[in-house]
Amino acid sequence: MVERTESESRKLLGRLRDAMAQEGAGQARLDKITNLIADSMGTEVCSIYLFRDENTLELCATEGLKPEAVHETRLKLGEGLVGRVARTGKIVNAADAPSAPGFRFMPETGEEIYSSFLGVPIQRLGEKLGVLVVQSKTAREFSSDEVYALEVVAMVLAEMTELGVFVGEGAALSARHQQPVMLRGTTGQEGTAVGHVWLHEPRVVVTNPIAEDPHRESVRLTEAVDQLRGSVDEMLTNVGGDKDQLDVLEAYRMFANSKGWMRRMEEDIARGLSAEAAVEKEQSTARARLSQVNDSYLRERLHDLDDLSNRLLRILTGQGNHTGAEMPADPVLIARNIGPAELLDYGRSLRGIVLEEGSVGSHAAIVARALAIPLVIHAGRITNEALNGDHIMVDGDQGIVHLRPDDTVVAAFRDKIAMQAEAQERYASIRDLPATTLCGKTIDLHMNAGLMADLPSLESSGAEGVGLFRTELQFLVRNQMPKRSELSALYTRVLDAARGKRVVFRTLDIGSDKVLPYMKPNDEPNPALGWRAIRVGLDKPGVLRMQLQALIRAANGRPLAIMFPFIAQYEEYAAAKAELDKALTREKKLGHPIPEKVEVGTMLETPSLAFATRSFYDEVEFLSIGGNDLKQFFFAADRENERVRRRYDTLNVSFLSFLERIVERCETSNTALSFCGEDAGRPIEALCLTAIGLRSLSMRPASIGPVKSLLRRTDLDALRKVIADARHRGMQSVREPVMEFLRSQG
Ligand code: PEP
Ligand code: MG
């Protein structure tokens, strides 16, 4: 019985292939296909619904329903049984369709006389393309064999849709990958970029979904899987002791040897699919599952399976990691996700980056920020939409991506870029001037850094120094813990490049969102409030000691500024400082030169430190407000959580009052104070911070120009009055009155 249905499946696919080989317009081909499927499945009706836009399905061809309904009948996603298949990606098999939940009667199609309904999604690698439906008068459920056969056909249809088979004169479909597409994501790094798509992982194109000789396909699959297993084993022997990589590779090995996976692909082949189409069918199923799974462990494993399927497809199609295409001169990198080390390999050659996943605090985002490359994350289905070489415009400020933009978008974008270029020129002209306000106060503007790639900005931005050097970035972009000698060489290069300008090195700030790839992640219920930064440094002091030694050696007698992250109470500061003192004594004993001056300070990132004892304020030499963390704790709003992270305004009166209190305390105790969170680089926020008394800000290099430019045109005394007045009036945020004030000043 199974064999009989297999050979019928194969026969149907063979007929489909022959139909495709004939000349004909897209619509004619679709019509022919519905006719073939209905005939071979023994049903009165076969219909193909394809997505017109993201939310609308259109009846594109039918055998059995009224022909005048073609291109007229449309359904919203989720509407009716067809819409349900499209929305859930799951089949609907109903003996009595009109009484099935969600049924919607469409009189124009004449479908009321058909009782049984089977709908399967047409999808390719998790991308929804449409729905394939068969219906018949007899009330019966379709057998699992019939369901399977229809799924195989849907898979072939998906491949054909992808290949543009249905495009042409009188086309049922507009050509895919040719239309302008706008995708809305989230800002990862501000800035605009225009260029051409460079896919981090080019799509594998399967041109032969249907095969004639199942035996041959089965041999091809077996050989490819053998090759794959061999390469996984080889990777396993080469990986060394890296636990995480081992875990991933073990998962690969498990899948590569999985009997279920092989069996399903063999079944697909027996029904007429080529080896590559069989791999892709299984990959599609896994991707569809991926979008429905919340468990992070399972998601990881499904990702592993996806990677493995990609490798297998490349072996089968002979399409290597890079398909021979040449990287465009103005590449905009498109990827589902990317690791920081891979991103660093591309370096500054990239104009922009668009990721389908990622998060604001991800390592890739940190690197993109350090390289000042505009980045949009969560950009929907970009890896499915974009093709190598497509024209693309990235608006990092708004988190918007225009793929294959039309002329009006191009013109509007050009205007925006021209205005930005003009502004850049203005900033360059004030680069060597101080940030002195109209009321005569001078604000020190420093830059944040963390990678060697940042250092040229010290010169070009006009920064007075590095107010925050995030040392963890060097740890994050590696696959193993750096050695002391490597760190020392690196810090030496940083200090050399700074040419005497002050660099504040913050000791390792890991944990929370920053997880080292080679450290066992802690399964903590609340990582942002967990074992992170100085808490790790003090509990496991080996790394902190190594880092302090490396810094002292790199200074080689030059002045050194060290800052401890995430200090929440005096004792932590005292303990960290004691480690530094010990390191200094030890280095001196070993005969290394000691810095001529060592400044020791801490980040102020927890509200507790704002209320620390006077003795702490007297003792610590400088404080730097880490507004990113401080704000998340002040408002109890996770900085990584898209839902809440923008909910509270930095210019909220309570938060400003809180910051003002810290300023006053530092004035009283004569403690140097700066602000190094992202808000320091936002011009309006920067103005307000200086209006309440901050005199030193540290920010992304690209922000120094805009902030300085605005400061030089502002009277802080007048602004202070505006803020006081807003407070007096009981306003929640001072943003509006401040904007109004700035507008009135032109
Ligand atoms: C901060 O918390 O504001 C800060 C500058 O540190 P990070 O963003 O590295 O946590
Ligand atoms: Mg912080």
Side-chain angles (χ1 to χ4, degrees), residues 506 509 514 532 566 603 605 626 628-629 639:
R506 178 175 76 182
D509 181 11
K514 300 170 195 154
R532 53 177 291 200
F566 216 67
M603 296 283 289
E605 294 169 288
N628 307 337
D629 274 313
R639 64 191 263 196

Side-chain angles (χ1 to χ4, degrees), residues 28 69 234 241 571 619:
E234 196 182 310
E571 285 69 17
E619 199 177 318

Side-chain angles (χ1 to χ4, degrees), residues 534-574:
I534 201 67
R535 300 173 182 174
V536 182
L538 293 176
D539 291 355
K540 294 230 179 276
V543 181
L544 178 64
R545 284 177 191 153
M546 170 180 84
Q547 209 185 6
L548 293 172
Q549 282 173 348
L551 283 166
I552 297 167
R553 288 186 195 178
N556 196 20
R558 291 175 281 192
L560 186 61
I562 291 179
M563 172 158 74
F564 297 114
F566 216 67
I567 298 284
Q569 57 181 9
Y570 171 75
E571 285 69 17
E572 286 166 342
Y573 167 71

Side-chain angles (χ1 to χ4, degrees), residues 380-398:
R381 40 185 216 286
I382 184 85
T383 57
N384 278 321
E385 286 288 355
L387 292 184
N388 262 339
D390 277 348
H391 189 199
I392 185 167
M393 296 178 145
V394 181
D395 184 342
D397 303 329
Q398 310 284 333

